[in-house]
Amino acid sequence: MIKSMTGFGRAVRELDGYVITVELKSVNHRYFEFSLRCPRQYGFIEDKIKSFINSRVARGKIECFIAIDALNAESAEVAVNHTLASAYVKVLNEIADAYHLKSDFSATAISSFPDVLVVRKAEEDEDKIWSLVKQVADEAVDKFMEMRLAEGQRLYDDVYARSEFILDTVSFIEERSPKTVKEYNEKLVQRVHELLGDVSLDEGRILQEVAVFADKVAVAEETVRLRSHIEQLHNFLNSDEAVGRKLDFLVQEINRETNTIGSKCNDVHISKKVVDMKAEIEKIREQIQNIE
């Protein structure tokens, strides 16, 4: 079943002393494009999570957000930047002496200055962290894919219905096209009678003119190719592979055959049907831009 390129998935789990959040969202894109937001100290997982998601997602602009919160206080330590703290104390004393102020600042006040207190994360096992993140990412991707599949089903229903309309129109054109030749023959004979009266007609000449007209307006080849293209489109719609680009090319071919029929036809009824077909093709083209 086809999948949409639009999706969202989120999972949150507490695992082995960490609360891990993985969130995914995507929009249409010609290729696979990935961006990640996560804490700097866990930047080592970027390539891993990108490969993991790309193994299940072929196309789309993917934005991934990962939060990793340690519940164990021992996983972080707070250190004092004594050099900076000493500099702050010295400057504050200078200000107090210069303006005859009381030096009543406290340790709390000094610690509130920027970069006096430094938070350092304890060394963590990268393989362990990735193993935990992967478990949560797997759940988030499952939800993400569920939404893509649900959107894909709606796209399938819409595109399939429009393609069936095109097939019905092709049937009309196939039935109507021979009648245009017959009508042309009758009009040609009538026109000659109007111009020449009861003079005997050169039936050979009439048949020759009709044959030229019939060859000019013949669309059998185009309708056969259209039926073949629609059958192929249906096969793509039922494929489990990423077929968005193939569908895009196929719709171009469908549009090409329809344009040829429009340029050949010399009949108002067929012309109207061609306009209807082109409107449906354009709607199909818009929809398949969302298909992976």
Side-chain angles (χ1 to χ4, degrees), residues 36-248:
L36 173 68
R37 288 189 297 122
C38 76
R40 181 183 300 177
Q41 67 268 30
Y42 298 113
F44 61 85
I45 68 174
E46 180 168 1
D47 288 340
K48 294 181 174 66
I49 192 70
K50 179 180 180 180
S51 297
F52 176 71
I53 294 172
N54 197 193
S55 68
R56 298 184 62 182
V57 179
R59 292 177 67 205
K61 184 176 182 180
I62 316 294
E63 293 182 8
C64 179
F65 166 76
I66 296 176
I68 304 172
D69 298 314
L71 299 177
N72 186 355
E74 295 179 0
S75 64
E77 59 180 28
V78 180
V80 179
N81 186 334
H82 288 285
T83 301
L84 192 58
S86 176
Y88 279 126
V89 170
K90 180 180 178 181
V91 169
L92 290 173
N93 281 326
E94 289 178 1
I95 292 173
D97 291 341
Y99 297 99
H100 307 292
L101 301 173
K102 184 179 179 181
S103 298
D104 57 355
F105 47 85
S106 64
T108 302
I110 298 299
S111 66
S112 66
F113 287 118
D115 301 322
V116 171
L117 299 182
V118 181
V119 179
R120 296 194 183 99
K121 287 283 185 179
E123 290 294 326
E124 294 177 298
D125 185 334
E126 292 186 3
D127 291 336
K128 174 186 174 182
I129 295 297
W130 166 239
S131 176
L132 299 177
V133 170
K134 185 179 178 182
Q135 293 180 54
V136 185
D138 197 42
E139 182 181 337
V141 172
D142 283 344
K143 294 177 180 178
F144 176 77
M145 296 304 291
E146 284 177 11
M147 182 173 177
R148 279 191 153 203
L149 282 168
E151 289 290 327
Q153 181 63 56
R154 285 189 277 273
L155 291 172
Y156 175 96
D157 293 340
D158 186 78
V159 172
Y160 197 94
R162 296 185 189 283
S163 69
E164 287 293 297
F165 173 86
I166 293 173
L167 279 180
D168 290 342
T169 307
V170 169
S171 296
F172 172 85
I173 293 171
E174 289 171 332
E175 181 181 352
R176 174 66 187 164
S177 186
K179 295 178 181 178
T180 64
V181 177
K182 182 180 179 182
E183 291 172 0
Y184 177 77
N185 181 60
E186 293 172 351
K187 288 180 181 178
L188 182 60
V189 172
Q190 181 182 354
R191 182 62 174 160
V192 171
H193 278 304
E194 289 175 355
L195 293 173
L196 302 178
D198 295 329
V199 176
S200 61
L201 301 178
D202 184 346
E203 293 187 4
R205 180 61 178 165
I206 293 293
L207 290 174
Q208 184 179 1
E209 288 293 331
V210 172
V212 170
F213 175 81
D215 184 64
K216 181 180 177 181
V217 301
V219 293
E221 291 182 7
E222 287 76 15
T223 58
V224 167
R225 283 195 291 267
L226 270 175
R227 287 189 178 278
S228 176
H229 292 335
I230 295 297
E231 181 181 358
Q232 193 173 7
L233 183 144
H234 289 170
N235 290 335
F236 283 152
L237 289 177
N238 288 290
S239 173
D240 292 327
E241 300 177 2
V243 294
R245 289 187 218 170
K246 294 179 181 179
L247 284 170
D248 192 35

